[in-house]
Amino acid sequence: MTLFDGITARLIDTPRLTVNILERDGDDPATPPERTVVLIHGNGSSSLFWQEIMQDLPHDLRVIAVDLRGYGGTEHSPIDATRGVRDFSDDVFATLEALGIPTAHFVGWSMGGGMIMQYALEHPALSLTLQSPVSPYGFGGTRRDGSRLTDDDAGCGGGAANPDFVERLIAHDTSDEAPTSPRNVFRSGYVAPGYTTEHEDVWVESILSTSTATGNYPGDSVHSDNWPGFGAGTVGVLNTMAPQYFDVSAVVDLEPKPPVLWIHGTADAIVSDASFYDYNHLGALGIIPGWPGADIAPAQQMVSQTRDVLDAYSAKGGDVTEIALDGVGHSAHLERPAEFRHALLQVIGYVGRPAEPSPPTETIILRSAD
């Protein structure tokens, strides 16, 4: 595990499993919850991806990055996908309980965004920062209003993973010889064209920490009579976000409502109204043959669904800030760290060092019950 200056790792034993976390040297365990930030990564990554932002956040905060089960240094226990992302959420709750942290500000990236919404449905949260989050209705297989396209979630779940990418995970492939290598998937999917970094090897290392053991990534699938011929299974990562198991739209009814920051890129290839990871969109492009048409298999409007739910959250009294970064991909905290940092400090209500000028952003939409 490649750790940056000032970042340390340790294992936390919980009644559920042993969880790896990253912390910062010098952070005070007695820091109150209102100055505690918990970072949750997404699919195909780990806590390693958070290290730059951990280094950059003020040192009177306590910052913790958690490895979800099957990623990084956390145990590779099987995932019951019929619970949606609740296995992940319950693991994080057990970890914070072991650390004596009753609540905190939560930051979730991609799948991690869905996880912190699930967490907030069951446990107190001081704020939610959603970075390029999975739609509140899951990944794939739904109409704009969240209703499911088929009873078996055709085209969703474990069967949607590229088999060659999975084999390259197993082989710990660090090359860039094929489009499906983890390194090239990072370059084409995680970030927008033009992003460069001296830390790419660390990001690839993080992707390669993804467990492909039974019950982890990608998960199983079942035969479907609907195009493209498979539906969601019951175990593994990708099935946790199948719409039959995952729906966190009930966040609109949370009381009290934590403030929400939604930050995302306009060039996101993964979470989009035209996602290159959505089988129905790929079918419409002719990349996957046999597509039955938009009436039967429309592309999922992921960003629009998130906006609809957060608009409803605001209408019911919640404070929401949306920041859409022009030309940014799936990883705002890597691609535009100054904007990400500033927005995060705003939503957690940080008061400490003198106020900093707000970095320029392309689109900021404030929603408030007031």
Side-chain angles (χ1 to χ4, degrees), residues 261-265 321-325 339 343 361-365:
L261 166 65
W262 174 29
I263 184 167
H264 59 105
T321 302
E322 176 186 353
I323 299 179
L325 296 172
E339 288 93 333
T361 54
E362 285 69 21
T363 306
I364 301 179
I365 302 171

Side-chain angles (χ1 to χ4, degrees), residues 104-305:
H105 299 280
F106 291 89
V107 181
W109 175 30
S110 196
M111 181 180 74
M115 196 234 80
I116 66 171
M117 286 189 276
Q118 180 65 56
Y119 189 99
L121 289 173
E122 299 167 348
H123 309 291
L126 298 180
S127 70
L128 302 176
T129 294
L130 309 173
Q131 178 184 238
S132 301
V134 62
S135 162
Y137 301 111
F139 199 93
T142 57
R143 302 175 185 87
R144 173 75 176 262
D145 65 1
S147 58
R148 292 164 59 202
L149 298 176
T150 65
D151 291 337
D152 56 4
D153 293 341
C156 301
N162 185 298
D164 192 62
F165 173 70
V166 176
E167 289 302 315
R168 290 176 184 276
L169 284 178
I170 294 170
H172 209 77
D173 177 17
T174 62
S175 75
D176 60 0
E177 65 182 22
T180 51
S181 74
R183 187 176 299 275
N184 280 332
V185 169
F186 168 78
R187 292 172 179 173
S188 64
Y190 288 47
V191 294
Y195 169 82
T196 59
T197 173
E198 63 182 319
H199 300 308
E200 184 176 86
D201 286 347
V202 181
W203 310 152
V204 173
E205 174 187 343
S206 180
I207 296 170
L208 290 171
S209 77
T210 302
S211 172
T212 55
T214 301
N216 292 132
Y217 184 85
D220 62 345
S221 63
V222 298
H223 171 77
S224 173
D225 291 331
N226 301 299
W227 183 89
F230 68 86
T234 60
V235 298
V237 174
L238 295 187
N239 293 314
T240 67
M241 294 174 282
Q244 63 183 298
Y245 308 132
F246 180 92
D247 183 343
V248 293
S249 61
V251 293
V252 301
D253 296 318
L254 278 177
E255 291 298 343
K257 287 181 166 59
V260 173
L261 166 65
W262 174 29
I263 184 167
H264 59 105
T266 63
D268 192 338
I270 298 175
V271 175
S272 166
D273 284 0
S275 169
F276 287 95
Y277 289 70
D278 178 358
Y279 258 63
N280 289 354
H281 180 58
L282 295 177
L285 294 176
I287 295 172
I288 298 175
W291 183 60
D295 290 342
I296 296 174
Q300 184 188 13
Q301 294 175 278
M302 303 175 186
V303 171
S304 296
Q305 288 176 332

Side-chain angles (χ1 to χ4, degrees), residues 335-356:
E335 299 171 74
R336 298 279 278 275
E339 288 93 333
F340 182 88
R341 176 185 184 278
H342 181 83
L344 173 58
L345 293 179
Q346 290 287 107
V347 78
I348 70 174
Y350 175 75
V351 178
R353 63 178 67 175
E356 302 171 3

